[in-house]
C-alpha cells in the first residue's frame, strides 16, 4: 500500500497568517492527491483534488501544488473558520490511503 | 443536492457482524458515474478506507480488511451497505459513507455525517 505522511502533525498560527502543510507519498502518485478539511464532529470536506484543482465553493485562499511524491496545501491568509484538521489522500492506487492529519490551531 | 445518510446499530457485540446502510438522495447509485465508498475514523485519529462498489456491483476492498468486509448495493432503495464480520473493540470508530467519481482523479466529494459504532459486550 502507498503510505502518506503529513507534516507537521500540528501547528499553531494566527488569523491572517499564511500556512503550508506538506504531504509525502511513499511512491510516485502522479497528481492523484486530494486534500480534505475536517472540523470536530463533522465529516471531511473536499478542498483540493488532483493536487491543485480547487473544489467548487472552496475559497481561493486555499491552494495545492506538487506531483510525484511531494505535495503542499497552502492557506494564504488564515481565517477563523480554517482552524481544523487537514488530511491528504491518494487515489493513484485502488487501495486509497490517507495521511495522518495536520491539526491547525489558534495561536 | 446530493446527500448521504448512514444508519445502523450504534452498539455491536464482539465477534458479531457490524451492518450499516447508506441511503443516497439527489443522485442514483445505478447511474454509473460513481463509486460508493465506506471509510472509518478511529476516535480522535485518522481515516481508513474500506472499499467501494460501483453501479454494477463490482467492488474493491482494503486488502487488510478484505476477509471481513462485504459492500453491497440495493438499487431499488438507492442504498448501499457495509458488513464487517468478527468485530472486536478495535473496530470501534465513526463510519462514513461517501461518493467518489469513477472517471477522473478519484476524490470523495460527498460524505454522510458519520455514525459512531461501538463494539462492546
Amino acid at each position: 500500500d502507498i503510505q502518506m505522511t503529513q507534516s507537521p502533525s500540528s501547528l499553531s498560527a494566527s488569523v491572517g497568517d499564511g500556512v503550508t502543510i506538506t504531504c509525502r507519498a511513499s511512491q510516485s502518485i502522479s497528481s492523484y492527491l486530494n486534500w480534505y478539511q475536517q472540523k470536530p464532529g463533522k465529516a471531511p470536506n473536499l478542498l483540493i483534488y488532483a493536487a491543485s484543482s480547487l473544489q467548487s465553493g472552496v475559497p481561493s485562499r486555499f491552494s495545492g501544488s506538487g506531483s510525484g511524491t511531494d505535495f503542499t496545501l497552502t492557506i494564504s491568509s488564515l481565517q477563523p473558520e480554517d482552524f481544523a484538521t487537514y488530511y491528504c489522500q491518494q487515489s493513484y492506487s485502488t487501495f486509497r490511503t490517507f495521511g495522518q492529519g495536520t491539526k491547525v490551531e489558534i495561536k | 443536492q446530493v446527500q448521504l445518510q448512514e444508519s445502523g446499530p450504534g452498539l455491536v457485540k464482539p465477534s458479531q457482524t457490524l451492518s450499516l446502510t447508506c441511503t443516497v438522495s439527489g443522485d442514483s447509485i445505478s447511474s454509473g458515474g460513481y463509486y460508493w465508498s465506506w471509510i472509518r475514523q478511529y476516535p480522535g485519529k485518522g481515516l481508513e478506507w474500506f472499499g467501494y462498489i460501483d453501479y454494477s456491483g463490482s467492488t474493491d476492498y482494503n486488502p487488510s480488511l478484505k476477509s471481513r468486509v462485504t459492500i453491497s448495493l440495493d438499487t431499488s432503495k438507492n442504498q448501499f451497505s457495509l458488513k464487517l464480520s468478527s468485530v472486536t473493540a478495535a473496530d470501534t470508530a465513526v463510519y462514513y459513507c461517501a461518493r467518489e467519481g469513477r472517471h477522473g482523479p478519484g476524490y470523495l466529494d460527498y460524505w454522510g455525517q458519520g455514525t459512531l459504532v461501538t463494539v462492546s459486550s
Side-chain angles (χ1 to χ4, degrees):
Chain A
D1 53 322
I2 299 175
Q3 306 294 327
M4 307 301 294
T5 304
Q6 289 181 233
S7 60
S9 296
S10 65
L11 65 90
S12 296
S14 301
V15 173
D17 285 351
V19 165
T20 297
I21 299 168
T22 296
C23 179
R24 175 165 289 175
S26 60
Q27 66 181 73
S28 177
I29 57 170
S30 185
S31 296
Y32 289 86
L33 191 284
N34 310 308
W35 289 98
Y36 302 86
Q37 176 194 68
Q38 187 179 34
K39 297 181 179 179
K42 300 292 187 182
N45 181 54
L46 178 68
L47 297 176
I48 302 282
Y49 63 92
S52 60
S53 296
L54 194 67
Q55 173 68 348
S56 175
V58 174
S60 59
R61 62 181 179 273
F62 291 93
S63 63
S65 64
S67 66
T69 59
D70 294 313
F71 302 87
T72 59
L73 172 69
T74 300
I75 310 172
S76 60
S77 176
L78 268 176
Q79 298 302 300
E81 60 269 29
D82 300 337
F83 292 94
T85 301
Y86 294 84
Y87 294 93
C88 62
Q89 178 230 356
Q90 63 81 19
S91 54
Y92 179 84
S93 165
T94 299
F95 175 20
R96 312 309 200 205
T97 50
F98 293 85
Q100 81 279 15
T102 296
K103 188 173 184 178
V104 177
E105 298 176 298
I106 302 173
K107 182 182 285 184
Chain B
Q1 175 75 353
V2 178
Q3 292 185 314
L4 293 87
Q5 177 70 59
E6 305 89 352
S7 59
L11 181 64
V12 181
K13 289 182 169 31
S15 79
Q16 292 189 343
T17 295
L18 178 161
S19 296
L20 296 174
T21 296
C22 183
T23 301
V24 180
S25 58
D27 192 8
S28 170
I29 62 172
S30 54
S31 65
Y34 299 99
Y35 293 121
W36 303 95
S37 307
W38 287 97
I39 300 103
R40 70 180 173 185
Q41 184 167 35
Y42 300 103
K45 295 184 182 177
L47 296 154
E48 181 175 46
W49 181 82
F50 265 89
Y52 55 50
I53 191 167
D54 73 10
Y55 71 101
S56 70
S58 178
T59 54
D60 272 299
Y61 296 130
N62 181 327
S64 67
L65 297 167
K66 190 173 184 177
S67 63
R68 297 198 291 137
V69 174
T70 303
I71 298 176
S72 59
L73 279 179
D74 185 341
T75 55
S76 67
K77 295 181 180 178
N78 216 37
Q79 295 175 335
F80 62 106
S81 298
L82 170 72
K83 291 189 186 299
L84 179 66
S85 63
S86 305
V87 297
T88 69
D91 294 308
T92 294
V94 174
Y95 287 74
Y96 294 101
C97 58
R99 186 184 85 165
E100 177 185 318
R102 287 185 66 232
H103 308 290
Y107 48 84
L108 296 155
D109 59 353
Y110 287 96
W111 296 63
Q113 64 187 28
T115 187
L116 174 62
V117 178
T118 301
V119 179
S120 175
S121 55

